[in-house]
């Protein structure tokens, strides 16, 4: 055992127990601890303990002080580093002076055994101090002592102290670093002179990021990584696209010139600014290994891309790398203001060790230019560092001076090694500066005049590194000039070539790789029926399997009763909502698809209806019926942490990487999805138009007014419908288990992909009329965008009620109770894309009808009506609306008021009082919803 082991990660209770043992018998404990307690007793009593120690008490105390100094540097050395290239660091107290540790200059040439702790053996204090100064207080500051694993701490200490955190690269590596720095610097300069005044969100001041990323890729391939997925904001993006991913310079120059794709007008492609675009490519590393690189497209909303990247990586781990997370790594490049200020970062970091979301560790690089737009860093956070969020998951942080490019490359290589070994996140805090304002036209001296005076005079990282190499005698004096000349010539040639093309060329097609065989949908494709039915024999066999529980496992009594009821559904060939949903998954799994579901409480279901995961009564063992069938190994369902924004973004990324997976995110209540509104606005609704990126993500949003208050009633149908255009997504509000079954299966049964938003029921989950017969799931059936009224004869109908979702059953109750065959109820199951041809046909069918009305339970300014009103403007179907009056809140919180309002809506729909039957139905729904909530 290390004779100084007593200094490493011991807790107070353990030390107390050792001290008690020491007092009884000093020889019963480790020699190092004997020395420690000798010094302790001496300090307490003023006399040396009689333990037969060979060292004098004074020297023992000094040994302990030296050990304290070593650990003090390990703990707090990062506060005293030389890591800020353009500012003086803030002062922290106590400092690192010798006196802080009970030592003095007089001790500098004394030999201390404590040198063993840092690998020197017995050594002079001067040498010990030099080693820890070099390791912890130069261009790299390391934060890691909060990690609770002694093994990880020792690995980091040994690596850093063994090399003193000082790189010693061979000449070829130094030349490669210089070449990548040259590309980064010259590229920005070239853009600035050729496209004067255009926004590019320059990397200038942080150009060392490029050789750092280059090194990540090289080191990663040595350690077995075959793919990197990168997420970053706009600053430096063009530089990363060209000098790391290899996007052609011609393409970037053409984008600066405002060129568009030739086929754009026909394809509904709106495009996006050049510094939001994504790219993917395969490159060959120095060691000959092939590595795939992807930069994910992103909006201006900072850090929004983070969960998307993590979802893509997890999807590929599951689909492509057979669960091996060491083959692929996510890289997230943050800004200092954003990583500290955006809550999505916390949501994503909390996923990193969760079973359903972990990706083997993320490499976080913070481009810390010490200002957020115009906000000084002191006003941008309360924490000491912008990276302090790393402590949440006990991830190490390396703070690095961006002007010391070799230190940055060294630190990032260490970070990759750590990630591959321990499969956890690691952070690089790249301290640098922003040479211009937020963009190139912005004047930063308005708000940071002193800082920008210093930046104006500050040489760029290439100049600094070139001078360092010249001083070392490592390179010829003309090498950097020749590199610049050659690269600038290359850029000019590519600029000239780009001017010869009138349009942009598609060099990064969407429908390749995992998307091969799929295509962008045309308008006429949307309403072509998909073959979603299943043979009755297959359906019943699978239903029997998932409703049969093993006899050798003890289940909770209510679960056994529930599954008995499901088994009876198989016998009666009539299925409720939960069975319709589960059978959609079972049949897809049986056909070879993957099914993934996540969200808060999805395993059981918020309303206790799904029970996809069963926990045994007398243990923590789980049983998953869907995993017992053919293809069940491809079924995954995960309760997520309490996050909407992060988890929805993650699942969007998962679906983006694997179009053959039915990927579902379910909100606990539909009302809560708006915590993730940014993902809906910036990705789900618009990515295909902006970036040519399709997606088949499914959102399940429990919706329905049932007297449960403003936050448990509405998934905001109106907000989704206002985002609908160009057939960008599908909005449905199904009323039958079979239609829900078909719409889920339809996601994977067409040769194109669209996001699907489903407003799912709550009280209807147990409504006796919300069932479907076996024939409705069979090969003769399909998804119905509109369900006409089979109860009435068209010639007798005077009033037609169009509706969607739960309100149908309240209307049905009134129609059936009063035998109103003069009123037809038509269900619009798919609100968007709106099935206008079917609706026109129904309008023509009811030629004797005098009134056509849209009926909804939501207030007039919410629900589908605002969209329906606009959509039917100037059409041959003239609609009026029956609804609750417009409101600033979605629903009342009073059950009696809800019942009164609901009855009024139904009564107005039939120009009559709602009646006792309807009232009883509404009250029943309220009770069912109350139990669920």
């Amino acid at each position: 055992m290390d004779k100084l082991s007593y200094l490493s990660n011991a807790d107070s209770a353990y030390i107390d127990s050792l001290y008690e043992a020491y007092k009884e018998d000093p020889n019963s404990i480790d020699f190092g601890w004997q020395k420690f307690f000798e010094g302790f007793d001496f300090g307490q009593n003023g006399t040396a303990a009689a333990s037969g120690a060979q060292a004098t008490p004074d020297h023992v105390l000094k040994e302990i002080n030296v050990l304290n100094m070593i650990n003090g540097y390990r703990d707090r050395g990062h506060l005293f580093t030389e890591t800020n290239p353009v500012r003086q660091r803030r002062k922290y107290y106590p400092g690192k002076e010798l006196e802080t540790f009970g030592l003095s200059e007089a001790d500098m040439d004394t030999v201390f055994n404590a040198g063993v702790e840092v690998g020197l053996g017995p050594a002079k204090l001067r040498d010990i101090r030099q080693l820890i100064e070099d390791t912890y207080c130069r261009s790299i500051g390391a934060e890691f002592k909060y990690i609770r694993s002694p093994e990880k701490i020792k690995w980091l200490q040994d690596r850093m102290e063994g090399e003193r955190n000082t790189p010693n690269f061979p000449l070829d590596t130094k030349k490669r670093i210089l070449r990548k720095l040259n590309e980064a610097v010259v590229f920005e300069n070239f853009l600035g002179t050729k496209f004067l005044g255009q926004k590019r969100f320059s990397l200038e001041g942080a150009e060392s990021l490029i050789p750092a990323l280059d090194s990540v890729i090289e080191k990663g391939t040595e350690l077995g990584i075959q793919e990197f997925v990168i997420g970053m904001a706009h600053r430096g993006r063009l530089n990363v696209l060209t000098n790391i991913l290899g996007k052609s310079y011609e393409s970037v120059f053409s984008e600066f010139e405002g060129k568009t794709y030739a086929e754009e007008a026909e394809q509904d492609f709106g495009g996006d600014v050049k510094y939001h675009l994504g790219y993917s490519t395969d490159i060959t590393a120095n060691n000959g290994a092939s590595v795939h690189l992807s930069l994910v497209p992103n909006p201006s909303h900072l850090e929004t891309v983070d969960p998307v990247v993590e979802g893509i990586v997890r999807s590929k781990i599951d689909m492509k790398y057979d669960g091996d997370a060491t083959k692929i790594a996510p890289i997230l490049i943050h800004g200092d203001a954003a990583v500290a200020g955006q809550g999505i970062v916390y949501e994503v970091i909390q996923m990193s060790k969760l079973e359903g979301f972990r990706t083997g560790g993320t490499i976080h690089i913070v481009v810390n230019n010490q200002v957020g737009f115009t906000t000084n860093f002191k006003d941008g956070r309360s924490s000491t560092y912008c990276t302090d969020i790393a402590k949440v998951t006990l991830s190490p942080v390396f703070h690095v001076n961006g002007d010391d490019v070799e230190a940055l490359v060294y630190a990032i290589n260490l970070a990759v090694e750590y990630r591959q070994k321990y499969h956890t996140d690691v952070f690089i805090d790249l301290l640098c500066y922003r040479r211009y304002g937020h963009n190139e036209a912005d004047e930063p001296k308005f708000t940071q005049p002193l800082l920008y005076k210093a930046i104006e005079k500050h040489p760029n990282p290439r100049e600094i590194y070139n001078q360092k190499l010249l001083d070392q005698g490592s390179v010829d004096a003309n090498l950097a000039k020749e590199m610049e000349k050659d690269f600038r010539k290359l850029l000019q040639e590519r600029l000239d070539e780009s001017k010869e093309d009138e349009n942009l060329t598609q060099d990064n097609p969407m429908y390749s790789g995992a998307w091969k065989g799929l295509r962008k949908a045309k308008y006429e494709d949307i309403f072509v029926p998909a073959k979603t039915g299943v043979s009755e024999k297959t359906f019943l066999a699978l239903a029997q399997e998932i409703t049969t529980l093993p006899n050798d496992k003890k289940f909770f009594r209510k679960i056994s009763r529930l599954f008995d009821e499901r088994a009876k559904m198989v016998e009666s060939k009539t299925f409720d909502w939960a069975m319709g949903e589960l059978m959609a998954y079972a049949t897809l799994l049986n056909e070879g698809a993957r099914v993934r579901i996540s969200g808060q409480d999805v395993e059981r279901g918020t309303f206790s209806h799904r029970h996809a995961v069963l926990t045994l009564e007398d243990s923590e063992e789980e049983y998953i019926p869907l995993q017992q069938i053919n293809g069940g190994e491809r079924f995954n369902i995960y309760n997520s942490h309490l996050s909407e924004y992060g988890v929805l973004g993650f699942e969007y990324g998962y679906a983006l990487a694997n179009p053959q997976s039915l990927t579902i995110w379910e909100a606990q209540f539909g009302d809560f999805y708006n915590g993730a509104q940014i993902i809906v606005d910036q990705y789900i609704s618009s990515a295909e138009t902006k970036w040519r990126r399709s997606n088949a993500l499914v959102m399940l949003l429990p919706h329905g007014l049932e007297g449960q208050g403003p936050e448990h009633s509405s998934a905001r149908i109106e907000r989704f419908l206002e985002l609908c255009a160009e057939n960008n997504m599908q909005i449905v509000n199904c009323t039958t288990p079979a239609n829900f079954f078909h719409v889920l299966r339809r996601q994977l049964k067409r040769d194109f992909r669209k996001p699907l938003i489903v407003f799912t029921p709550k009280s209807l989950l147990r409504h006796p009329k919300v069932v479907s017969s076996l024939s409705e799931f069979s090969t003769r059936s399909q998804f119905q965008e509109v369900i006409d009224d089979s109860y009435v004869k068209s010639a007798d109908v005077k009033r037609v009620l169009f509706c969607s979702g739960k309100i149908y059953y309240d209307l049905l109750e009134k129609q059936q109770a009063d035998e109103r065959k003069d009123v037809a109820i038509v269900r619009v199951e798919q609100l968007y894309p709106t099935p206008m041809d079917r609706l026109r046909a129904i309008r023509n069918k009811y030629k004797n009808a005098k009134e056509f009305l849209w009926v909804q339970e939501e207030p007039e300014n919410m629900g589908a009506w605002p969209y329906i009103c606009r959509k039917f403007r100037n059409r041959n179907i003239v609609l009026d609306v029956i609804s609750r009056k417009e409101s600033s809140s979605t629903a009342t919180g009073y059950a009696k008021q809800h019942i009164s309002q609901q009855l009024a809506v139904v009564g107005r729909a039939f120009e009559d009082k709602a009646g006792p039957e309807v009232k009883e139905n509404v009250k029943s729904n309220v009770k069912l919803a109350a139990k669920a909530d």
Side-chain angles (χ1 to χ4, degrees):
M1 180 180 286
D2 183 349
K3 69 178 183 178
L4 296 173
S5 65
Y6 57 87
L7 250 288
S8 299
N9 299 289
D11 62 43
S12 58
Y14 178 59
I15 293 174
D16 286 342
S17 68
L18 284 176
Y19 185 53
E20 291 302 317
Y22 166 77
K23 287 193 293 185
E24 287 188 16
D25 179 10
N27 293 320
S28 68
I29 64 172
D30 181 76
F31 177 75
W33 283 108
Q34 291 181 39
K35 299 288 106 185
F36 179 87
F37 292 129
E38 278 181 22
F40 176 76
D41 285 345
F42 177 80
Q44 290 289 309
N45 304 321
T47 58
S51 62
Q54 297 177 4
T56 65
D58 183 59
H59 191 68
V60 169
L61 285 177
K62 286 291 179 76
E63 287 281 3
I64 292 172
N65 290 343
V66 175
L67 288 168
N68 285 339
M69 180 184 74
I70 292 169
N71 281 295
Y73 270 77
R74 289 168 173 169
D75 278 332
R76 299 179 68 246
H78 57 86
L79 297 172
F80 311 104
T81 54
E82 302 163 0
T83 49
N84 199 318
V86 290
R87 278 176 164 157
Q88 287 294 317
R89 291 212 57 183
R90 289 181 282 184
K91 302 296 182 184
Y92 296 92
Y93 301 95
K96 59 188 177 76
E97 298 80 9
L98 289 172
E99 290 73 19
T100 299
F101 306 104
L103 300 166
S104 69
E105 284 292 330
D107 300 311
M108 289 295 276
D109 290 315
T110 302
V111 174
F112 290 96
N113 288 326
V116 173
E117 178 71 8
V118 291
L120 290 177
K124 293 180 180 180
L125 178 61
R126 185 183 311 279
D127 296 331
I128 296 171
R129 192 187 191 203
Q130 187 65 53
L131 183 148
I132 55 179
E133 276 278 339
D134 291 345
T135 302
Y136 297 111
C137 296
R138 300 298 184 217
S139 291
I140 299 173
E143 284 189 279
F144 65 100
K145 288 303 292 290
Y146 45 78
I147 297 172
R148 294 171 192 157
S149 165
E151 179 194 345
K152 293 176 182 178
I153 289 177
K154 188 175 188 311
W155 187 88
L156 287 166
Q157 285 176 178
D158 289 350
R159 287 299 309 275
M160 292 188 292
E161 292 168 4
E163 298 172 335
R164 302 195 180 202
N165 268 347
T166 303
N168 184 22
F169 295 127
L171 182 58
D172 285 348
T173 301
K174 292 181 178 183
K175 287 183 176 179
R176 183 181 179 96
I177 290 171
L178 180 63
R179 177 167 60 81
K180 298 307 290 185
L181 263 182
N182 179 72
E183 290 174 1
V185 171
V186 175
F187 179 73
E188 295 291 357
N189 180 264
F190 189 85
L191 291 179
T193 54
K194 299 297 181 179
F195 302 100
L196 196 64
Q198 285 205 46
K199 289 182 183 179
R200 54 192 165 94
F201 294 97
S202 158
L203 188 60
E204 287 166 275
E207 293 97 333
S208 52
L209 175 67
I210 298 303
L213 286 173
D214 179 66
S215 188
V216 165
I217 295 162
E218 292 294 329
K219 187 68 175 179
T221 57
E222 292 174 14
L223 299 174
I225 298 176
Q226 299 174 16
E227 184 169 358
F228 289 94
V229 181
I230 305 170
M232 69 180 299
H234 37 281
R235 184 160 311 285
R237 189 180 191 88
L238 299 179
N239 216 312
V240 171
L241 278 166
T242 52
N243 292 320
I244 294 298
L245 279 86
K247 181 175 181 176
S248 71
Y249 298 112
E250 301 98 300
S251 294
V252 173
F253 298 152
S254 293
E255 288 163 1
F256 269 99
E257 291 169 352
K259 295 177 182 177
T260 58
Y261 293 96
E263 74 279 14
E264 175 181 309
E266 301 171 11
Q267 300 239 349
D268 295 325
F269 176 56
D272 199 354
V273 291
K274 50 195 169 289
Y275 39 80
H276 286 173
L277 304 180
Y279 194 77
S280 62
T281 188
D282 291 300
I283 67 169
T284 302
N286 269 352
N287 62 7
S290 177
V291 59
H292 186 73
L293 305 178
S294 302
L295 179 61
V296 180
N298 69 278
S300 285
H301 298 64
L302 298 174
E303 307 295 341
T304 295
V305 75
D306 298 356
V308 179
V309 167
E310 301 292 346
I312 290 171
V313 171
R314 177 56 184 259
S315 186
K316 292 191 173 189
I317 289 170
D318 292 346
M319 170 187 67
K320 186 176 177 181
Y321 296 110
D322 197 26
D324 188 353
T326 65
K327 296 289 197 298
I328 182 172
I331 300 174
L332 294 180
I333 303 173
H334 312 272
D336 54 312
V339 77
Q342 292 294 310
I344 184 61
V345 178
Y346 183 86
E347 293 186 38
V348 170
I349 285 173
Q350 281 289 17
M351 294 181 188
S352 66
K353 297 183 180 182
L354 301 181
E355 180 188 357
F357 304 92
R358 60 192 176 209
T359 56
T362 299
I363 300 164
H364 299 267
I365 304 173
V366 180
V367 178
N368 186 350
N369 50 43
Q370 308 178 62
V371 62
F373 204 147
T374 66
T375 302
N376 196 300
F377 75 94
K378 291 181 181 179
D379 299 318
R381 62 179 184 267
S382 296
S383 58
T384 301
Y385 295 113
C386 61
T387 52
D388 279 349
I389 197 168
K391 298 178 175 67
V392 170
T393 49
L394 308 178
S395 303
V397 180
F398 301 98
H399 307 278
V400 190
N401 189 323
D403 277 354
D404 190 341
V405 65
E406 285 192 11
L408 178 59
V409 169
Y410 168 88
I412 209 161
N413 286 350
L414 185 63
V416 177
E417 286 187 59
Y418 184 88
R419 185 266 180 188
Q420 286 295 91
K421 184 174 180 65
Y422 294 112
H423 318 300
T424 60
D425 288 13
V426 60
F427 283 72
I428 299 290
D429 179 14
L430 168 54
L431 282 108
C432 51
Y433 55 92
R434 190 184 67 193
R435 186 160 292 279
Y436 304 107
H438 179 66
N439 60 62
E440 289 66 37
D442 193 37
E443 177 51 78
K445 288 183 181 176
F446 287 151
T447 50
Q448 280 86 26
L450 295 179
L451 174 62
Y452 274 86
K453 282 182 182 179
I455 289 173
E456 276 182 346
K457 302 172 185 176
H458 196 76
N460 66 51
R462 184 194 62 168
E463 294 169 340
I464 292 170
Y465 188 52
N466 185 54
Q467 189 59 52
K468 178 180 178 180
L469 295 179
L470 289 174
D471 294 344
Q472 292 174 347
S474 299
V475 299
D476 182 86
N478 293 320
L479 179 61
K481 292 180 181 178
E482 290 171 3
M483 283 183 174
E484 178 176 358
K485 180 181 176 182
D486 292 344
F487 188 57
R488 197 173 287 275
K489 180 183 176 184
L490 171 68
L491 293 176
Q492 185 60 53
E493 289 172 355
R494 297 295 179 266
L495 176 60
D496 294 340
E497 290 171 10
S498 73
K499 292 179 179 178
E500 297 174 6
D501 298 320
E502 292 184 11
N503 300 106
L504 292 171
T505 55
Q506 181 57 269
D507 56 358
N508 204 210
M510 167 67 199
Y511 302 103
S512 58
W515 286 80
K516 190 173 183 181
L518 298 171
R519 61 181 177 83
K520 182 172 170 51
K522 298 177 181 177
Y523 178 77
E524 55 268 25
D525 299 326
I526 299 299
F527 297 105
V528 175
K531 294 180 180 179
T532 54
V534 178
S535 76
E536 294 185 2
K537 181 180 178 181
T538 299
F539 188 96
L540 289 174
L542 290 170
Q544 184 70 43
E545 282 191 73
I546 68 169
T547 57
T548 303
L549 298 179
N551 293 323
D552 59 344
K553 297 183 186 296
K554 187 177 181 181
F555 296 94
F556 188 48
R557 187 180 302 167
K558 289 184 178 179
I559 289 294
S560 296
R561 189 159 56 243
L562 171 68
F563 273 73
D564 288 343
E565 291 170 0
R566 289 181 176 179
K568 290 176 182 176
M569 293 182 201
V570 181
E571 294 175 10
S572 66
K573 299 180 182 179
T574 302
F575 302 90
D576 68 3
W577 191 275
M579 278 297 288
E581 176 190 353
L582 293 169
M583 288 306 299
Y585 307 147
T587 53
L588 286 171
L589 292 167
N590 187 56
E591 293 162 1
R594 177 179 291 278
V595 176
R596 175 186 167 93
I597 309 168
S598 82
Q600 297 152 33
D601 312 301
V602 294
E603 294 178 5
R604 189 201 73 172
T606 300
F607 311 104
S608 199
H609 76 289
R610 183 175 290 121
H611 293 286
V613 179
L614 311 177
T615 304
L616 269 59
E617 186 176 53
D618 52 4
S619 74
E620 292 297 313
E621 181 186 348
E622 293 182 340
Y623 179 80
I624 303 175
L626 281 166
Q627 289 185 349
Q628 314 309 312
I629 66 172
N630 177 48
E633 70 279 3
R634 294 185 300 276
F635 177 73
N636 297 109
I637 184 167
Y638 300 105
N639 285 342
S640 74
H641 64 321
L642 199 63
S643 156
E644 286 81 33
Y645 189 177
V647 179
L648 181 60
F650 187 99
E651 300 306 338
Y652 177 88
Y654 196 99
L656 185 63
N658 187 358
Q660 305 306 329
S661 169
L662 180 67
T663 305
I664 298 172
W665 177 77
E666 181 177 57
Q668 189 182 61
F669 281 83
D671 314 60
F672 303 155
Y673 98 87
N674 58 10
Q677 189 71 50
I678 290 173
I679 298 295
V680 175
D681 292 348
Q682 308 306 322
Y683 284 96
I684 292 171
S685 67
S686 58
E688 195 168 52
T689 299
K690 294 190 295 187
W691 307 317
R692 298 176 184 263
R693 290 296 176 262
S694 299
N695 200 292
L697 178 67
V698 179
M699 293 176 67
L700 302 184
L701 306 178
H703 173 90
L705 276 67
E706 289 150 335
Q708 298 305 299
E711 277 72 56
H712 296 81
S713 298
S714 175
R716 295 287 191 173
I717 292 174
E718 67 278 1
R719 290 186 180 169
F720 285 94
L721 288 173
E722 76 176 9
L723 293 170
C724 289
E726 303 168 328
N727 295 321
N728 57 334
M729 52 185 177
Q730 307 156 101
I731 312 295
V732 304
N733 194 358
C734 300
T735 58
T736 73
N739 229 21
F740 187 40
F741 168 89
H742 288 295
V743 82
L744 289 174
R745 286 179 50 79
R746 189 177 72 170
Q747 283 298 90
L748 301 185
K749 295 300 178 182
R750 300 186 289 195
D751 60 354
F752 58 87
R753 298 289 184 263
K754 296 283 183 181
L756 171 65
I757 316 302
V758 186
F759 297 98
T760 54
K762 293 174 288 182
S763 62
L764 295 190
L765 294 171
R766 294 170 179 82
H767 196 291
K769 291 184 179 179
V770 184
V771 293
S772 297
S773 64
L774 177 62
S775 63
E776 293 176 82
F777 299 93
S778 71
T779 50
R780 300 184 299 277
S781 59
Q782 63 192 36
F783 178 69
Q784 301 178 75
E785 287 92 355
V786 179
I787 302 178
D788 200 357
D789 194 332
S790 59
Y791 177 70
V792 300
K793 293 181 180 179
S794 59
D796 298 334
V797 171
K798 305 301 181 186
R799 171 179 274 213
V800 178
L801 306 178
F802 291 98
C803 66
S804 186
K806 181 179 75 71
I807 189 71
Y808 165 73
Y809 289 96
D810 292 335
L811 297 173
L812 179 66
E813 196 71 42
K814 174 66 176 174
Q815 182 199 47
Q816 302 287 305
D818 294 357
E819 299 182 354
R820 290 290 298 272
K821 299 207 174 209
D822 60 327
V823 179
I825 308 171
V826 178
R827 288 171 273 175
V828 182
E829 302 277 291
Q830 178 170 296
L831 293 164
Y832 190 85
T834 310
M836 295 303 297
D837 289 344
R838 289 278 289 119
L839 295 175
R840 273 191 288 267
I842 286 173
R843 166 66 180 86
N844 294 334
K845 173 185 173 182
Y846 295 111
K847 55 188 176 183
N848 295 331
K850 304 299 182 185
E851 292 180 284
F852 292 86
L853 300 163
W854 178 263
V855 184
Q856 65 178 36
E857 60 183 2
E858 299 86 2
E860 185 177 342
N861 57 320
M862 300 177 190
W865 174 245
Y867 168 81
I868 293 292
C869 179
R870 174 172 61 85
K871 197 71 176 176
F872 283 77
R873 187 180 61 232
N874 299 326
R875 306 267 182 171
N876 65 343
I877 306 177
V878 179
L879 288 176
D880 202 351
V881 65
I882 294 174
S883 68
R884 283 169 168 80
K885 67 178 183 178
E886 63 181 20
S887 171
S888 58
S889 177
T890 55
T892 177
Y894 302 112
K896 287 186 177 180
Q897 191 175 82
H898 161 76
I899 293 170
S900 174
Q901 291 174 348
Q902 196 81 353
L903 295 177
V905 169
V906 174
R908 286 165 55 205
F910 287 88
E911 295 185 301
D912 191 7
K913 288 185 177 181
E917 295 86 359
V918 178
K919 185 174 183 179
E920 199 56 41
N921 186 64
V922 172
K923 289 173 70 176
S924 174
N925 288 341
V926 169
K927 290 178 181 178
L928 287 171
K931 287 180 181 179
D933 192 20

